[in-house]
């Protein structure tokens, strides 16, 4: 039994709150806090349970966070605000003796650049304080790392190639919208691509490398190589991997909009003066794009995210392995009022917190998900709406 503080009340925060409330034997008290309290209140109202309360916080401010943590004294914070707030929330957790979990690695606001070094630098301080920090516990990063750990534990003596494949075959009926925070999403996709091969990181132009991949129950979709944060920790934690890549599907319509947005300067994060006021074009764009939280209602189709791995099995024979989940936008919406991208992130975040509170992932320090036992986590995912499937010795297409 434990008390959880969820910071952030966007699409992902809403799913986390619903899923925690569905598991009162583990989460007996739930506080949702965010910049805009009315959004937290709306989520609490939709859940309608007396053990769900709300509060307000600016998570860029360590003193405000410390006051919030002292007031509520949670066992763990689930950080589903934005990656900009990771370090302030970790600082406050250290100051107040609270455990920590997030779904995206730290990114400075003024530089579209993400890497684990900033958060890995907290390892010793969390260890000394006897506190656990679980990094990147959404779907990707998150389940992608747990799948890889599961493959290493049960199937491979040596993993040689890892391809994480992320397909959203859903349709929300809008000309252009992002499935999670537009600012974070556009910053990620417009960056150069990068993959790991034979101990080196190889950079590509954005969307330079692409390939048609077949997704279960969906069919062929054009998939683009891009850099994704979990590659950084997975090649460290599984050093036998010779090549690690990440692929994501995009439709032509989406890519055309993205190109126009870039060409006209709206993807820029450099502040400009407008009518005497400083604005950041990308932040302004976010304000006029559809809110990802409101996409759910008309969203049809499904997502399919998984890991395609090759290497040698426990006897040293060649093996290919594909482990994946398909998630329906309609089903996710019926259960939580959110689409599948928020759902597939929120369910693993709740599950990671559950692993911590039930003592299965309790290890002082700062850890990526693949450093923990994957079995109890995947057991829970099966029961909490994200069942997974395996294909052994199939064609990986990669
Ligand atoms: P949203 O933009 O929908 O929600 C973000 C929430 O954080 C909002 O409630 C926002 O408040 C709040 N927030 C932002 N800044 C602050 C602040 N300074 N203080 C307090 N609250 C703040 O994003 P999503 O729910 O789509 O995404 C949440 C996180 O999940 C992101 O970090 C994203 O990168 C991550 N993610 C991870 C995935 C994975 O698979 N690992 C996949 C998808 C997302 P307000 O409403 O007032 O703006």
């Amino acid at each position: 039994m434990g008390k959880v503080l969820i910071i952030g009340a966007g699409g992902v925060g809403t799913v986390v709150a619903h899923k925690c409330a569905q598991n009162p034997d583990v989460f007996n008290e739930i506080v949702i806090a965010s910049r805009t309290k009315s959004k937290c209140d709306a989520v609490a109202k939709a859940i309608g349970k007396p053990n769900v309360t709300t509060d307000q916080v600016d998570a860029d401010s360590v003193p405000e966070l410390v006051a919030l943590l002292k007031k509520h004294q949670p066992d763990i914070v689930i950080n589903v605000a934005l990656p900009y707030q990771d370090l302030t929330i970790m600082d406050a957790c250290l100051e107040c003796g609270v455990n920590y979990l997030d779904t995206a690695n730290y990114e400075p606001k003024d530089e579209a650049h993400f890497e684990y070094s900033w958060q890995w630098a907290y390892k010793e301080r969390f260890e000394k304080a006897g506190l656990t920090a679980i990094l990147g516990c959404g779907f990707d990063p998150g389940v992608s790392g747990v799948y890889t750990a599961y493959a290493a534990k049960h199937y491979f003596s040596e993993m040689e190639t890892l391809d994480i494949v992320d397909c959203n075959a859903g349709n929300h009926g809008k000309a252009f919208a992002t499935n999670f925070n537009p600012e974070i999403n556009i910053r990620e996709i417009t960056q150069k691509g990068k993959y790991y091969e034979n101990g080196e990181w190889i950079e590509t132009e954005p969307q330079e490398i692409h390939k048609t991949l077949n997704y279960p129950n969906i069919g062929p979709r054009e998939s683009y190589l891009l850099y994704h944060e979990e590659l950084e920790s997975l090649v460290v934690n599984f050093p036998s991997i010779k090549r690690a890549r990440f692929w994501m599907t995009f439709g032509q319509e989406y890519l055309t909009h993205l190109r126009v947005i870039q060409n006209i300067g709206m993807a820029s994060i450099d502040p400009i003066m407008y009518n005497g006021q400083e604005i950041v074009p990308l932040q302004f764009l976010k304000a006029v794009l559809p809110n990802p939280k409101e996409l759910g209602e008309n969203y049809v189709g499904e997502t399919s995210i998984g890991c395609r791995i090759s290497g040698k099995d426990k006897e040293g024979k060649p093996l290919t392995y594909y482990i994946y989940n398909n998630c329906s936008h309609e089903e996710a919406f019926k259960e939580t009022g959110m689409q599948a991208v928020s759902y597939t992130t929120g369910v693993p975040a709740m599950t990671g917190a559950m692993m911590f509170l039930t003592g299965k992932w309790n290890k002082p320090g700062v850890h990526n998900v693949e450093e923990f036992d994957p079995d109890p986590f995947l057991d829970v995912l099966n029961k909490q709406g994200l069942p997974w499937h395996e294909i052994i010795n199939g064609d990986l297409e990669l």
Side-chain angles (χ1 to χ4, degrees):
M1 291 275 242
K3 180 168 182 176
V4 64
L5 170 67
I6 302 163
I7 302 184
V12 179
T14 303
V15 174
V16 174
H18 275 270
K19 296 306 289 194
C20 288
Q22 286 174 16
N23 291 279
D25 48 329
V26 178
F27 303 97
N28 59 339
E29 268 188 85
I30 300 161
V31 183
I32 314 165
S34 189
R35 185 164 51 190
T36 316
K37 186 169 176 289
S38 57
K39 293 189 187 172
C40 308
D41 293 338
V43 178
K45 190 166 168 228
I47 295 171
K49 293 203 175 148
N51 64 338
V52 183
T53 57
T54 64
D55 212 328
Q56 196 276 333
V57 71
D58 176 2
D60 288 322
S61 153
V62 177
E64 277 199 31
L65 285 162
V66 166
L68 181 81
L69 294 185
K70 284 195 172 147
K71 179 174 161 193
H72 295 288
Q73 302 190 354
D75 297 294
I76 186 164
V77 165
I78 301 181
N79 167 17
V80 279
L82 298 180
Y84 315 135
Q85 281 89 44
D86 288 2
L87 301 187
T88 45
I89 298 177
M90 288 177 88
D91 283 330
C93 281
L94 276 173
E95 196 169 328
C96 301
V98 177
N99 301 282
Y100 172 88
L101 179 146
D102 68 28
T103 66
N105 69 7
Y106 174 70
E107 229 181 285
K109 260 187 202 152
D110 53 1
E111 195 190 332
H113 176 77
F114 48 90
E115 60 174 55
Y116 279 115
S117 61
W118 286 291
Q119 291 181 276
W120 284 347
Y122 282 68
K123 257 179 205 218
E124 231 176 84
R125 276 176 283 164
F126 269 79
E127 232 165 64
K128 278 203 184 120
L131 296 172
T132 301
I134 302 169
L135 303 186
C137 198
F139 206 106
D140 44 345
V143 179
S144 54
V146 179
Y147 282 167
T148 307
Y150 187 79
K153 181 173 173 184
H154 296 286
Y155 289 97
F156 287 91
S157 58
E158 204 178 312
M159 294 191 290
E160 286 161 3
T161 69
L162 165 68
D163 286 280
I164 300 166
V165 292
D166 179 332
C167 171
N168 181 3
N171 182 0
H172 44 55
K174 310 256 187 230
F176 182 81
T178 62
N179 293 294
F180 65 96
N181 186 287
E183 189 184 330
I184 304 297
N185 191 209
I186 292 172
R187 276 166 69 124
E188 175 179 274
I189 292 163
T190 52
Q191 281 196 34
K192 289 203 172 195
K194 195 162 78 169
Y195 65 98
Y196 178 86
E197 192 157 40
N198 297 323
E200 276 177 49
W201 290 101
I202 296 154
E203 212 172 66
T204 71
E205 288 307 310
Q207 290 103 44
E208 181 188 337
I209 298 180
H210 53 102
K211 200 173 161 65
T212 309
L213 299 176
N214 283 282
Y215 294 89
N217 207 36
I218 291 169
R221 286 287 186 283
E222 205 54 19
S223 308
Y224 295 79
L225 185 146
L226 52 94
Y227 179 60
H228 226 241
E229 63 195 63
E230 65 264 53
L231 297 178
E232 185 186 2
S233 67
L234 286 168
V235 299
V236 172
N237 289 317
F238 299 103
S240 71
I241 295 178
K242 293 191 180 70
R243 191 189 68 203
R245 302 181 295 191
F246 185 97
W247 305 82
M248 192 177 270
T249 61
F250 298 110
Q252 275 317 309
E253 184 75 358
Y254 181 94
L255 290 176
T256 304
H257 275 82
L258 199 63
R259 201 168 58 243
V260 174
I261 285 168
Q262 282 182 285
N263 284 345
I264 61 173
M266 285 305 293
S268 166
I269 58 170
D270 298 329
I272 54 157
M273 291 305 291
Y274 178 74
N275 273 355
Q277 199 186 336
E278 193 179 272
I279 62 162
V280 173
L282 183 56
Q283 284 170 7
F284 178 75
L285 177 69
K286 174 188 180 250
V288 295
L289 282 177
N291 181 348
K293 237 182 131 167
E294 264 121 52
L295 293 177
E297 200 160 3
N298 301 310
Y299 222 134
V300 292
E302 55 190 308
T303 60
S304 178
I305 318 175
C307 293
R308 300 185 185 189
I309 305 171
S310 73
K312 295 195 181 70
D313 71 8
K314 299 282 182 201
E315 275 81 52
K317 290 196 296 271
L319 172 70
T320 70
Y321 180 71
Y322 182 15
I323 176 168
Y324 66 92
N325 160 266
N326 276 30
C327 180
S328 146
H329 287 288
E330 292 101 315
E331 293 302 316
F333 183 75
K334 262 189 243 157
E335 189 186 328
T336 62
M338 295 295 130
Q339 31 85 355
V341 177
S342 303
Y343 189 87
T344 53
T345 310
V347 174
M350 176 283 292
T351 306
M354 181 185 273
M355 291 296 104
F356 172 77
L357 290 173
T358 54
K360 298 182 181 88
W361 280 19
N362 186 335
K363 181 156 76 171
V366 174
H367 305 284
N368 293 88
V369 290
E370 65 269 22
E371 296 171 57
F372 297 99
D373 184 1
D375 294 5
F377 185 97
L378 289 185
D379 247 13
V380 170
L381 277 195
N382 262 336
K383 297 172 193 140
Q384 295 288 335
L386 295 178
W388 42 279
H389 313 276
E390 305 174 301
I391 299 174
I392 292 162
N393 279 332
D395 175 9
L396 296 183
E397 307 179 295
L398 288 157

